[in-house]
């Protein structure tokens, strides 16, 4: 079957995109939606894959124009599918690591052989017996020598008593007894040292070889990984080619992460460039159940991951007319920032959705910029706490360094109460409760957060259902911590409310905005000591 697919259903009413998709923040083009629906029907009809597909996998589609001007699409999956990375319906990998006679598989088998040799040595009965004897007799040696020292101490105390006795007349005998016991202890120590050294030498014969094999395995694995990354020679629309090592050398991690180049997006672009086809639009979607830690929903579209794909796509998209990054669009540059409360020492502002709390990498306006312009005489950092760019609501601003320190201490001591309101995409049946899901960043897909019971930081959120409307639930949240994306993850995760916040493009579906608003703040005034309560309704209730 050809890798290029033509739309089964008519798309004549769908216009072509003006620019190529910005892959890290987008609304899928209707042609991509149509292509994804066709891929979905193909997946649903393939009974052989159903068990694996239920576990969940990321797929992608790329709408292209051929050299003859025909419009079609390509499909790809991330990683491998059904134990293979080549399937007739989907584009091939950039580099086929599963090629039976290829260098990678041959070297991989050599490394597997080293693993088997290590396992064989570790399981040899003589090695295990020597280790047991060494451990047991090390303990026994300690016990024997400790007992001798105990007896010598008691004997010394007895000799000291005899020396003080008026009837004792042979001090030389006491000296001989002491010397004999010391010599006997020395002989025992030497015996055990020699005996244990013999056992240790036998153990070290095995462990030296095991360590040598481990070192060889590590060296060969690292070399093979570097060799593999260099085989991924990624093209862009200009025909320029760069390997993964080159693309990642200027990143923070310096080296490509495992699996780099094997996601759907790079596969699709590489195949299009190889065939001289023009990429028009791209989208990636999840099929199946959500992973345990990440939040993925069946049929939802997701942006490309930044850790693995960021440097790759930055190169591969060069030469294409790509949409602007919506996050760098300064939509609030001329908008007035509403001040909800202000006095001599602090103020509370109502941050609009889409405005940064603090400066980012681009020259986009932020609450911090506004405050610095409005209060040039203010001291200290001013920004006491942050809201996500997509979240609207109340932010506390300090005009002096001392007030800033006081308010931050209140946040640290959990003396500040924050209340949010949000529309959730789904029905939350439990009217109130709390969510406990520990969170940590996803290093390969920042700023996404994942649930991690072992390494995550504690995150607890209380919630209460306010009302329902058209399959949606309006809730209020009171987070006990302020973890990044805490409310967004606690809403969307299957172990949380299993209902993403409306408009959450990271954990749910994109909409006109993220329907999350910080509506209430309470704190103790740093100067007057007055208990302060500030509230601002969301406007979307």
């Amino acid at each position: 079957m050809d890798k290029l697919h033509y739309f089964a259903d008519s798309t004549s009413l769908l216009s072509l995109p003006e620019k190529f998709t910005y892959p890290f923040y987008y609304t899928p083009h209707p042609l991509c939606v149509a292509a994804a629906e066709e891929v979905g029907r193909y997946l649903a009809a393939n009974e052989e894959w159903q068990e694996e597909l239920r576990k969940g996998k990321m797929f992608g589609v790329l709408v292209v124009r051929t050299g003859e001007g025909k419009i079609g699409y390509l499909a790809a999956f991330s990683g491998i599918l059904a134990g293979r990375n080549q399937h007739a319906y989907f584009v091939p990998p950039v580099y086929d690591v599963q090629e039976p006679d290829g260098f990678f598989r041959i070297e991989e088998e050599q490394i597997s052989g080293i693993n088997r040799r290590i396992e064989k040595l570790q399981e040899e009965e003589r090695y295990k017996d020597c280790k047991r004897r060494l451990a047991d007799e090390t303990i026994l040696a300690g016990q024997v020598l400790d007992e001798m020292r105990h007896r010598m101490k008691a004997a010394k105390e007895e000799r000291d008593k005899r020396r003080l006795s008026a009837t004792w007349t042979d001090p030389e005998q006491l000296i001989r007894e002491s010397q004999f016991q010391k010599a006997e202890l020395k002989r025992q120590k030497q015996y055990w040292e020699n005996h244990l050294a013999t056992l240790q030498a036998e153990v070290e014969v095995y462990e030296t070889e095991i360590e040598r094999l481990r070192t060889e395995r590590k060296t060969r694995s690292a070399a093979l990984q570097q060799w593999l990354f260099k085989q991924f020679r990624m093209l862009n629309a200009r025909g320029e080619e760069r390997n993964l090592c080159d693309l990642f050398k200027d990143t923070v991690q310096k080296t490509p992460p495992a699996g780099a180049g094997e996601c759907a997006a790079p596969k699709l672009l590489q195949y299009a460039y190889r065939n001289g086809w023009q990429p028009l639009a791209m989208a990636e979607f999840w099929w199946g159940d959500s992973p345990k830690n990440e939040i993925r929903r069946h049929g939802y579209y997701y942006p490309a991951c930044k850790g693995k794909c960021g440097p790759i796509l930055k190169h591969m998209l060069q030469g294409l007319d790509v949409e602007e990054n919506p996050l760098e669009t300064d939509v609030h540059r001329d908008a007035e920032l509403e001040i909800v409360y202000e006095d001599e020492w602090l103020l509370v502002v109502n941050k609009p959705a889409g405005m940064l709390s603090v400066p980012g990498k681009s020259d986009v306006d932020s609450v911090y910029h506004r405050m610095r312009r409005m209060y040039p005489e203010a001291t200290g950092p001013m920004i006491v706490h942050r809201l996500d760019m997509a979240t609207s609501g109340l932010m506390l601003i300090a005009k002096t360094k001392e007030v800033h320190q006081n308010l931050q201490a209140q946040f640290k001591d959990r003396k500040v109460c924050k209340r949010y309101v949000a529309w959730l995409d789904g029905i939350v049946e439990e009217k109130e409760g709390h969510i406990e899901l520990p969170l940590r960043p996803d290093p390969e897909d920042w700023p996404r957060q994942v649930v991690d019971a072992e390494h995550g930081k504690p995150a607890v959120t209380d919630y209460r259902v306010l009302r329902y409307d058209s399959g949606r639930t309006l809730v209020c949240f009171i987070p006990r911590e302020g973890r990044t994306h805490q409310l967004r993850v606690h809403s969307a995760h299957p172990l949380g409310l299993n209902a993403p916040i409306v408009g959450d493009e990271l954990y749910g579906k994109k909409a006109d905005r993220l329907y999350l608003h910080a509506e209430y703040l309470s704190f103790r005034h740093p100067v007057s000591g007055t208990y302060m309560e500030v509230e601002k309704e969301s406007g979307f209730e």
Side-chain angles (χ1 to χ4, degrees):
M1 184 184 296
D2 195 354
K3 310 298 183 185
L4 178 63
H5 310 288
Y6 296 103
F7 289 95
D9 300 324
S10 174
T11 57
S12 59
L13 297 179
L14 300 178
S15 59
L16 296 178
E18 296 180 4
K19 294 185 177 183
F20 188 77
T21 314
Y22 178 74
F24 304 106
Y25 190 95
Y26 65 90
T27 299
H29 188 274
L31 283 171
C32 287
V33 174
E37 289 174 351
E38 291 193 10
V39 174
R41 289 196 290 270
Y42 175 82
L43 294 174
N46 196 315
E47 297 181 2
E48 177 187 354
W49 297 344
Q50 293 313 301
E51 183 176 350
E52 180 175 350
L53 289 175
R54 272 194 295 273
K55 298 176 183 177
K57 180 164 285 293
M58 191 72 77
F59 290 84
V61 291
L62 176 67
V63 178
V64 298
R65 179 190 285 118
T66 69
E68 295 77 30
K70 296 181 179 179
I71 304 299
Y73 68 88
L74 303 171
F77 52 85
S78 292
I80 62 173
L81 176 62
R84 296 163 49 202
N85 58 18
Q86 299 239 26
H87 291 280
Y89 188 85
F90 300 99
V91 302
V94 176
Y95 175 77
D96 189 359
V97 298
Q98 293 187 335
E99 185 181 346
D101 299 325
F103 174 79
F104 183 85
R105 292 304 294 268
I106 294 172
E107 185 64 15
E108 190 178 47
E109 179 54 35
Q110 293 293 322
I111 294 171
S112 297
I114 294 174
N115 286 332
R116 291 191 292 270
R117 288 160 64 189
I118 292 173
E119 291 169 3
K120 183 179 179 181
L121 286 170
Q122 290 173 330
E123 293 303 314
E124 282 199 20
E125 283 303 320
R126 182 163 182 79
Y127 172 52
K128 292 194 286 187
D129 180 61
C130 284
K131 285 184 69 175
R132 282 194 297 267
R133 288 174 59 199
L134 179 61
D136 293 343
E137 297 194 30
T138 298
I139 294 172
L140 177 61
Q143 293 172 341
V144 169
L145 295 174
D146 284 346
E147 178 61 26
M148 287 189 70
R149 294 186 184 98
H150 179 74
R151 291 199 305 268
M152 287 174 65
K153 182 179 180 181
K156 182 179 183 302
E157 291 173 353
E158 179 62 26
R159 287 195 299 272
D160 290 343
K161 289 179 182 178
R162 282 186 282 172
R163 284 191 180 95
L164 296 175
S165 172
T167 61
W168 187 257
T169 60
D170 190 0
E172 293 299 324
Q173 181 184 349
L174 300 180
I175 293 172
R176 287 193 298 271
E177 285 182 10
S178 175
Q179 290 174 338
F180 175 79
Q181 289 177 342
K182 288 179 180 178
E184 184 62 22
L185 176 63
K186 186 176 180 180
R187 284 191 293 271
Q188 282 291 318
K189 287 173 68 176
Q190 189 63 52
Y191 166 76
W192 283 110
E193 285 177 4
N194 293 339
H195 180 62
L196 295 176
T198 301
L199 291 175
Q200 180 67 44
E202 286 193 67
V203 170
E204 284 182 356
V205 169
Y206 288 91
E207 293 189 341
T208 299
E209 179 61 10
I210 289 171
E211 185 58 33
R212 186 192 69 79
L213 289 171
R214 284 174 172 165
T215 301
E216 181 184 352
R217 179 182 62 185
K218 182 178 180 180
T219 301
R220 295 183 75 154
S221 295
L224 180 59
Q225 189 68 74
Q226 288 298 304
W227 178 90
L228 177 61
F229 287 146
K230 290 179 180 178
Q231 307 316 301
F232 281 78
R233 300 181 177 93
M234 319 305 292
L235 287 166
N236 63 22
R238 299 171 183 162
E240 300 164 340
E241 192 175 68
R242 296 177 68 187
N243 66 53
L244 293 184
C245 292
D246 189 28
L247 292 175
F248 279 85
K249 68 180 181 181
D250 294 327
T251 63
V252 174
Q253 63 266 40
K254 303 300 182 185
T255 59
E262 298 181 42
C263 295
K267 289 182 181 180
L268 292 166
L269 289 168
Q270 187 82 353
Y271 193 76
Y273 293 145
R274 288 285 183 210
N275 287 276
W277 299 331
Q278 180 189 1
L280 299 178
M282 183 169 62
E284 293 180 276
F285 64 95
W286 186 259
W287 189 273
D289 294 339
S290 177
K292 181 180 179 180
N293 292 342
E294 292 182 83
I295 298 172
R296 304 290 190 189
R297 291 181 168 269
H298 179 72
Y300 280 30
Y301 296 90
Y302 290 94
C305 63
K306 291 184 178 179
K308 288 183 181 179
C309 293
I312 298 173
L313 295 183
K314 181 180 179 181
H315 162 70
M316 298 189 82
L317 295 179
Q318 290 180 18
L320 295 180
D321 188 10
V322 182
E323 295 172 345
E324 297 295 326
N325 179 359
L327 299 179
E328 295 183 357
T329 303
D330 208 347
V331 295
H332 295 292
R333 176 69 70 177
D334 299 321
E336 184 177 346
L337 185 61
E338 180 185 7
I339 296 175
V340 182
Y341 171 83
E342 181 176 11
D343 61 28
E344 183 180 350
W345 301 280
L346 58 85
L347 64 152
V348 180
V349 300
N350 179 28
K351 184 187 85 68
M355 177 180 279
L356 290 168
S357 295
V358 295
K361 293 181 179 180
S362 60
D363 186 29
V364 177
D365 200 12
S366 67
V367 174
Y368 176 82
H369 283 129
R370 292 291 185 94
M371 294 298 99
R372 281 297 175 201
R373 290 197 297 269
M374 293 172 65
Y375 304 95
E377 302 302 320
T379 61
M382 298 193 75
I383 304 297
V384 178
H385 63 112
R386 305 181 187 185
L387 294 176
D388 287 347
M389 182 179 184
T391 304
S392 62
L394 299 177
M395 282 185 62
L396 192 51
I397 311 297
K399 294 183 180 180
T400 71
K401 181 180 179 180
E402 294 72 24
V403 168
H404 184 271
Q405 291 173 338
N406 180 287
L407 291 172
Q408 283 224 314
Q410 291 189 51
F411 270 98
K412 183 178 180 180
D413 296 338
R414 299 183 182 178
K415 294 179 180 179
V416 177
C417 179
K418 296 181 290 182
R419 188 177 72 231
Y420 295 75
V421 65
W423 274 110
L424 306 189
D425 190 5
I427 298 297
V428 178
E429 295 181 356
E430 292 289 334
K431 296 296 190 295
E432 60 182 38
H434 73 278
I435 307 153
E436 296 186 38
L437 292 175
L439 304 175
R440 65 164 176 81
D442 183 347
E444 294 185 351
D445 199 7
W446 184 90
R448 288 179 65 90
Q449 306 291 303
V450 297
V451 173
D452 189 333
E454 183 177 358
H455 301 106
K457 292 183 178 180
V460 179
T461 302
D462 296 318
Y463 76 90
R464 178 166 55 87
V465 172
L466 300 177
R467 63 185 175 90
Y468 304 101
D469 185 15
S470 304
R472 294 178 172 181
T473 306
L474 185 67
V475 298
C476 74
F477 289 120
I478 298 179
R480 298 186 190 175
E481 292 80 17
R483 308 293 181 209
T484 300
H485 293 181
Q486 178 171 330
L487 301 181
R488 297 167 71 170
V489 175
H490 282 186
S491 297
H493 199 277
L495 297 178
L497 298 182
N498 198 27
I501 297 173
V502 174
D504 191 343
E505 77 282 355
L506 285 180
Y507 309 105
K509 286 183 177 178
K510 189 178 178 183
D512 59 315
R513 65 156 292 178
L514 177 71
Y515 280 79
L516 175 64
H517 177 78
E519 67 170 5
Y520 172 88
L521 271 176
S522 66
F523 56 96
R524 186 70 63 181
H525 196 286
V527 178
S528 68
T530 305
Y531 183 70
M532 305 287 294
E533 293 183 285
V534 185
E535 190 166 3
K536 178 65 181 180
E537 292 185 357
S538 65
F540 55 67
E541 296 175 288

